[in-house]
Amino acid sequence: MKKLITTIVFVMATIIGVAQTIGEAFYIFRNDGEINGFLRSEVDSIVYSYYDADSILYDEIVSQIVYTNDSVFWIPLAAVDSVSFVSPKTTYQPGVINLSENIMPYIIGCSSLTISLSSSTPTNLIPKVGDKLVTTEMNEIFPIGFAGEVIEVKGSEIICKSVLLEEVFETYYNVASVYGYVEEEQSSIKRLKTGLKPIDKEWDKNFELNTITLPYNVEISRAVKPNSDLALKGGSGYSIELTPSVHVRVLLIINNVEGTYFKGSVQGNLNVTEKLSIYGGLELSHDFPRKELRVERPICPYVTFFFEPGLFIRGNVLASASLTASQDYTFGWIRDWSSRGRNVIKPSAGGRQTGSSLDIEGCVDGSVSAGGYVDMGLALIHSALDNISLRGEIGAEFVGNAMLYNNDIENAKKSTELYERFKQSSFELNAFVNTACNLQLVGGIWGVSYPLPWNLSVNINKWDVVPSFADVKFKQKRNDATQADASASVLGKCLFPVQVGFSMCDEYNEEIESYWDGSFRNTSKTMSETFSGLSSTGEYTLYPKVKALGINMLASPSKKLEKAEMPVEITGFKQTRAEYEENGFNYNGFYYNYKYSCSVTVNLKNSENIEDWGYIYEDPNGNISRISLKNFSTPYTDTRYVYYRNESQSTVRLYEYVKYKEESEYYYGEAYNYPVEYFCNICPDENHPHMIDLGLPSGTKWACCNVGASKPEEYGGYYAWGETCTKDQYTYNTYHLRNGNAYAYVGDDIANSQYDAANINWGEPWCMPTIGQFQELVNNTTSIITSYNGIAGRSFTGKNGCAIFLPYAGGMRSDDLGKAGREGFYWSSTFCSYGEGNYTASMFQLKNAECQYVGDRGEGNSIRPVQK
């Protein structure tokens, strides 16, 4: 057993690699001593249940159920001691040397438990007596790994003895999973393919199995009796296919508590498919000679010439049937073993049938023919004894066939299979001329017939069992998405009248509406119908429909609903401004508190035969405004209209329209509500300033108001770049950071320096933003021109819903001392050398949300602080 378990661990290590790490396997330790190990890749879900394994309901949760890809593990919750999602690291006992680490390059061979080293092996790497050697690496030298204790060193030969796994490993945890399966495209051959190959990174392996087929066939073909008009022929065949699949799971644990614990289980499925086919036929052939017209004359001794006219009738019927029976079985085996003599699981094996199916196919083929014949030739003594003759026939033949499956009628309302088989069936009336050379001996006991090459068959008429359908159309109406027009041409010539119509099915192929157009036999016709009550988001399929032989069946070809294409498309909507007026905005005689400016981008995809196009705006009172874009290029971004609401958070209802030439109707797209919002909740309370987290990637937090302001809408103070105090005039002469007649260079970034107005006035950790932080603000927020408490500006809203408001504070320059409401300029902390000298720094222009705007350092602008 020791050698067996040692072999198992090395095979496992080869299959699944080194010890599992976090996330690849987990273990459920139980109070009853059992351990359940799972690979995460094979676990579908874990649930908790009020039922135990015997399906008894309790008032509290009593079971943990682990669903794997092919098994269910029902674990009593009271038995669960702990769960570990981390496989302990593999550790070795003292004195154990891992051959894979340093010695492996010097090993040149291994015979049984004797390892051969090369002469170049460093002395310090040669093992000593008492060392234990181990490797789980699989190679040509160690096909299944190696474990042994050194008992003698003879030069380059290391002689070992076998050891217990506990003597080598201090801890070892692993779960292995091996699958066997049948490739779908493989041929049926009698062999088992056992080559191992990895299938993913989850340490699973698989091996390929093949279906085993055992065939048997027998043929029957004989006359019922000599000289009989009746003949019988037939045959049968039988085969059985065995398609197996197996799943092997192995759990191995080595530690000082368990010793060596091994648990193995095999679960498999076997599909047994039996195929039986049988066919048989009867042939009837009879001649009606006209004896009064028969001529028989001797031409020499024992040889007679004969001439015989007459009528004939022939018939045959051939029936075949095939039966396919399929059964699925599941089987399993489980066993555990412990070096401490503790066996938690009783050995078990079993199996059961999990499903079965039966399919039957039948086919009937037959013909009837009749006509006249002429038979003339030479006979020995008498024409009824031995003769050779030429036979000519002229007549007509009626032929028909049909095929059915046992589930055809059941599936006919949801599948076109029965219709397709009936389309292959037909009835034919043919005229023919046959000639043959016949030889008959011993009074007809033995005879043979050879057809001659000038035989002829001409089709007189052919009838179908079911008609054909062509040019099937199913189109949504332009002006009403809930209706669709259906049409199809019905073609063919049926022997018996059949009913034809349409069936409209949903995405699950369930019939939701049908239409019968009437009877059809042999005159081509067109049928049409309008279906209503369609959902704008539904998926519909139109089938022609046939009722033949009392069976309703779907026909082909089918047609998916062709949605009416709206050639006009709204491709973009953007809110550009939001304003609030306490007294309300007057629009069409109504007063609204909020006014939203938006841009709407509209694209005309196809201008063919179009007279007018554009989009529709529906106001809150239901009034419609048709906004024509027929004189504009496409795509066109329309910014001419504003939308009024009484809510700070609302929607704008828009949809497309088009009018075709020579048509009076307008066609409309599907209405959609586009969101608009007035950002009024900037700060959580009145204790300004606040640090606003906009969810920016860098983690930068922005202040809710400017330096020198006590509210978000206040402009605050104006500062020249690098100065920390406000002043009355902002000119070249009043700028403090000068070096003679030029501006002094004070660094590429003045944030958190003595020149930082935000840091000096507000203290740590506030500072001026860099131009990069302004760009990050623009790239990662939604900004609109708006007003806050009656002050114009721009709001920036982060993806987390938080927002800041920057007012149009204007600027302080020598030519416009303190004029607010211009465009809004904000200093960054970033120096920008523009041209010669040190006169410029980077600014942020609020009106267009534009960075890298170069400004004269002597100008007075606003500052919005940030924190990192």
Side-chain angles (χ1 to χ4, degrees):
M1 178 61 75
K2 174 175 67 176
K3 185 174 181 180
L4 172 63
I5 298 301
T6 302
T7 301
I8 290 174
V9 70
F10 292 132
V11 172
M12 283 185 56
T14 300
I15 294 176
I16 59 179
V18 296
Q20 305 285 356
T21 58
I22 183 169
E24 295 169 1
F26 68 92
Y27 306 86
I28 299 176
F29 297 90
R30 297 168 49 157
N31 297 325
D32 56 11
E34 184 177 352
I35 300 171
N36 298 105
F38 301 93
L39 286 173
R40 286 190 54 152
S41 62
E42 68 179 4
V43 174
D44 178 74
S45 60
I46 300 177
V47 300
Y48 295 89
S49 175
Y50 290 92
Y51 290 88
D52 64 10
D54 297 320
S55 300
I56 299 175
L57 178 64
Y58 291 84
D59 294 331
E60 57 185 14
I61 295 174
V62 294
S63 300
Q64 181 185 55
I65 308 173
V66 180
Y67 293 92
T68 65
N69 298 330
D70 56 7
S71 305
V72 178
F73 294 83
W74 206 293
I75 304 172
L77 202 58
V80 178
D81 178 76
S82 61
V83 179
S84 174
F85 288 91
V86 179
S87 296
K89 183 180 180 182
T90 298
T91 59
Y92 302 97
Q93 296 285 3
V96 173
I97 298 174
N98 186 350
L99 297 176
S100 301
E101 292 181 353
N102 298 308
I103 310 177
M104 189 64 73
Y106 301 99
I107 299 175
I108 59 176
C110 179
S111 176
S112 184
L113 290 172
T114 300
I115 298 175
S116 301
L117 301 177
S118 70
S119 58
S120 61
T121 305
T123 305
N124 65 317
L125 294 182
I126 299 176
K128 303 176 181 60
V129 173
D131 288 343
K132 297 182 181 67
L133 311 180
V134 65
T135 180
T136 58
E137 181 179 335
M138 182 179 181
N139 51 39
E140 294 181 358
I141 299 175
F142 302 112
I144 60 171
F146 183 87
E149 181 180 347
V150 181
I151 57 175
E152 187 178 355
V153 179
K154 290 184 178 181
S156 60
E157 301 291 324
I158 311 299
I159 304 172
C160 304
K161 67 176 182 179
S162 60
V163 294
L164 295 174
L165 295 179
E166 295 101 304
E167 298 178 70
V168 176
F169 295 100
E170 184 174 308
T171 60
Y172 185 89
Y173 282 68
N174 238 325
V175 177
S177 185
V178 182
Y179 294 89
Y181 63 97
V182 174
E183 290 280 8
E184 292 183 1
E185 65 274 9
Q186 61 94 43
S187 60
S188 299
I189 50 179
K190 302 175 184 178
R191 64 186 178 86
L192 175 68
K193 190 173 181 180
T194 57
L196 296 175
K197 59 179 181 179
I199 59 174
D200 54 35
K201 297 181 180 180
E202 298 295 339
W203 315 109
D204 287 349
K205 300 287 175 175
N206 70 75
F207 58 95
E208 186 178 311
L209 303 174
N210 288 87
T211 297
I212 300 173
T213 303
L214 306 173
Y216 173 76
N217 293 282
V218 64
E219 291 288 335
I220 302 171
S221 182
R222 65 184 180 86
V224 174
K225 60 180 180 178
N227 298 317
S228 172
D229 292 331
L230 188 66
L232 169 69
K233 61 181 179 180
S236 66
Y238 175 79
S239 67
I240 181 170
E241 293 182 353
L242 306 177
T243 305
S245 64
V246 295
H247 181 191
V248 182
R249 298 179 70 253
V250 177
L251 169 66
L252 181 69
I253 295 178
I254 302 172
N255 59 30
N256 56 5
V257 176
E258 302 293 336
T260 298
Y261 177 76
F262 165 84
K263 182 176 74 171
S265 66
V266 178
Q267 181 171 7
N269 295 284
L270 179 65
N271 175 262
V272 181
T273 301
E274 301 162 278
K275 297 180 179 180
L276 172 65
S277 61
I278 185 170
Y279 73 92
L282 288 174
E283 291 185 357
L284 175 65
S285 178
H286 188 75
D287 291 343
F288 300 93
R290 300 297 300 270
K291 294 182 180 180
E292 67 275 15
L293 299 177
R294 177 183 176 85
V295 176
E296 189 170 343
R297 298 283 188 270
I299 59 174
C300 65
Y302 308 113
V303 178
T304 301
F305 168 79
F306 66 89
F307 174 87
E308 180 184 278
L311 303 176
F312 69 87
I313 183 171
R314 283 196 297 268
N316 72 78
V317 60
L318 178 65
S320 66
S322 64
L323 179 149
T324 302
S326 178
Q327 297 91 35
D328 292 310
Y329 298 91
T330 182
F331 57 88
W333 171 89
I334 188 169
R335 182 73 169 89
D336 74 339
W337 178 90
S338 172
S339 63
R340 304 291 170 88
R342 180 179 65 84
N343 295 91
V344 178
I345 303 171
K346 294 181 180 179
S348 64
R352 62 186 176 88
Q353 183 175 340
T354 58
S356 63
S357 63
L358 180 67
D359 291 316
I360 302 174
E361 175 188 351
C363 179
V364 178
D365 196 329
S367 67
V368 176
S369 60
Y373 73 91
V374 172
D375 199 3
M376 62 181 178
L378 301 175
L380 184 64
I381 300 176
H382 192 277
S383 61
L385 185 60
D386 299 322
N387 65 67
I388 182 170
S389 65
L390 294 176
R391 181 181 174 105
E393 296 179 348
I394 183 168
E397 181 183 40
F398 185 78
V399 182
N401 61 76
M403 180 182 294
L404 281 176
Y405 283 76
N406 64 321
N407 57 355
D408 273 342
I409 297 177
E410 178 184 349
N411 296 334
K413 294 182 179 180
K414 295 188 66 173
S415 170
T416 63
E417 291 182 0
L418 178 58
Y419 170 79
E420 295 295 342
R421 276 193 284 275
F422 274 147
K423 276 191 68 176
Q424 298 173 13
S425 303
S426 63
F427 301 98
E428 295 185 23
L429 179 62
N430 302 317
F432 64 87
V433 175
N434 290 338
T435 57
C437 180
N438 299 323
L439 176 64
Q440 182 175 287
L441 300 177
V442 196
I445 294 177
W446 183 87
V448 66
S449 177
Y450 295 98
L452 298 178
W454 47 81
N455 293 333
L456 177 65
S457 179
V458 177
N459 178 257
I460 299 175
N461 214 334
K462 183 177 181 179
W463 298 271
D464 302 314
V465 178
V466 292
S468 299
F469 298 90
D471 198 23
V472 180
K473 298 178 180 178
F474 191 36
K475 292 185 176 181
Q476 191 178 52
K477 282 184 173 291
R478 282 180 177 177
N479 58 345
D480 190 348
T482 65
Q483 293 188 343
D485 291 327
S487 64
S489 297
V490 190
L491 309 170
K493 183 189 295 184
C494 296
L495 184 62
F496 307 104
V498 298
Q499 295 291 113
V500 293
F502 288 122
S503 178
M504 184 176 69
C505 300
D506 61 15
E507 57 188 309
Y508 306 105
N509 230 35
E510 296 287 347
E511 183 179 85
I512 57 177
E513 191 174 347
S514 65
Y515 161 76
W516 289 106
D517 187 73
S519 178
F520 174 84
R521 184 173 180 183
N522 56 14
T523 303
S524 299
K525 61 182 294 187
T526 299
M527 57 181 184
S528 61
E529 174 64 5
T530 298
F531 291 93
S532 59
L534 280 66
S535 168
S536 59
T537 58
E539 298 292 333
Y540 301 95
T541 303
L542 180 76
Y543 290 89
K545 192 174 184 179
V546 174
K547 184 176 182 180
L549 304 177
I551 305 172
N552 289 338
M553 65 191 85
L554 296 183
S556 61
S558 61
K559 182 71 173 180
K560 293 283 187 183
L561 176 64
E562 185 178 332
K563 299 291 183 72
E565 183 183 20
M566 170 55 66
V568 183
E569 180 183 19
I570 295 178
T571 60
F573 178 88
K574 183 179 180 181
Q575 178 181 331
T576 59
R577 187 182 184 94
E579 299 178 62
Y580 169 77
E581 176 59 51
E582 184 175 356
N583 297 323
F585 299 95
N586 187 334
Y587 175 68
N588 284 346
F590 296 94
Y591 283 87
Y592 301 90
N593 295 111
Y594 298 92
K595 180 171 71 172
Y596 299 96
S597 297
C598 303
S599 66
V600 182
T601 301
V602 188
N603 180 40
L604 179 62
K605 296 181 288 184
N606 180 13
S607 61
E608 184 179 356
N609 200 37
I610 290 178
E611 180 179 292
D612 189 15
W613 64 280
Y615 66 101
I616 303 292
Y617 161 53
E618 184 177 334
D619 72 14
N621 301 300
N623 298 314
I624 300 298
S625 297
R626 181 179 292 117
I627 304 168
S628 175
L629 301 177
K630 65 179 180 180
N631 295 321
F632 296 88
S633 60
T634 182
Y636 180 73
T637 300
D638 193 7
T639 59
R640 297 173 294 166
Y641 294 91
V642 293
Y643 308 97
Y644 296 89
R645 295 292 184 272
N646 279 319
E647 303 84 21
S648 60
Q649 190 173 14
S650 187
T651 58
V652 173
R653 188 173 179 82
L654 304 174
Y655 49 95
E656 308 91 342
Y657 84 88
V658 65
K659 182 179 182 299
Y660 294 95
K661 296 176 182 177
E662 301 178 356
E663 290 191 30
S664 59
E665 289 186 89
Y666 284 88
Y667 298 100
Y668 304 101
E670 187 174 355
Y672 189 80
N673 294 321
Y674 298 88
V676 289
E677 183 174 359
Y678 178 79
F679 303 99
C680 57
N681 297 319
I682 303 297
C683 300
D685 52 47
E686 298 299 323
N687 299 317
H688 307 292
H690 296 93
M691 180 180 64
I692 307 298
D693 182 2
L694 299 171
L696 302 177
S698 69
T700 300
K701 314 298 189 298
W702 285 76
C704 67
C705 52
N706 295 341
V707 176
S710 60
K711 295 179 181 180
E713 68 270 23
E714 291 182 356
Y715 302 147
Y718 298 99
Y719 300 87
W721 191 81
E723 295 183 352
T724 58
C725 297
T726 60
K727 52 191 179 183
D728 295 333
Q729 289 189 345
Y730 294 83
T731 65
Y732 171 81
N733 294 324
T734 63
Y735 188 53
H736 296 163
L737 300 178
R738 290 175 55 194
N739 185 7
N741 293 326
Y743 290 171
Y745 174 74
V746 294
D748 290 335
D749 187 352
I750 62 173
N752 293 299
S753 71
Q754 61 180 323
Y755 306 107
D756 184 345
N759 186 266
I760 297 300
N761 286 279
W762 281 18
E764 294 290 348
W766 294 106
C767 63
M768 293 174 66
T770 65
I771 198 65
Q773 287 171 317
F774 270 115
Q775 190 63 55
E776 180 190 45
L777 177 68
V778 173
N779 293 343
N780 295 277
T781 62
T782 300
S783 68
I784 63 168
I785 299 171
T786 184
S787 61
Y788 184 68
N789 290 335
I791 303 299
R794 182 181 286 272
S795 66
F796 297 84
T797 304
K799 296 178 181 178
N800 59 4
C802 297
I804 60 173
F805 174 77
L806 274 66
Y808 283 151
M812 296 290 287
R813 297 172 175 78
S814 58
D815 59 344
D816 56 352
L817 301 181
K819 289 184 180 178
R822 287 168 43 91
E823 294 181 336
F825 296 97
Y826 284 79
W827 281 127
S828 78
S829 63
T830 306
F831 172 74
C832 177
S833 178
Y834 182 78
E836 296 181 0
N838 301 313
Y839 296 103
T840 58
S842 297
M843 299 167 58
F844 179 71
Q845 183 194 44
L846 189 60
K847 180 179 180 181
N848 298 322
E850 184 180 74
C851 295
Q852 297 293 346
Y853 190 92
V854 179
D856 189 323
R857 288 166 48 183
E859 297 176 356
N861 290 321
S862 302
I863 295 176
R864 177 60 63 95
V866 296
Q867 286 187 23
K868 181 66 174 171

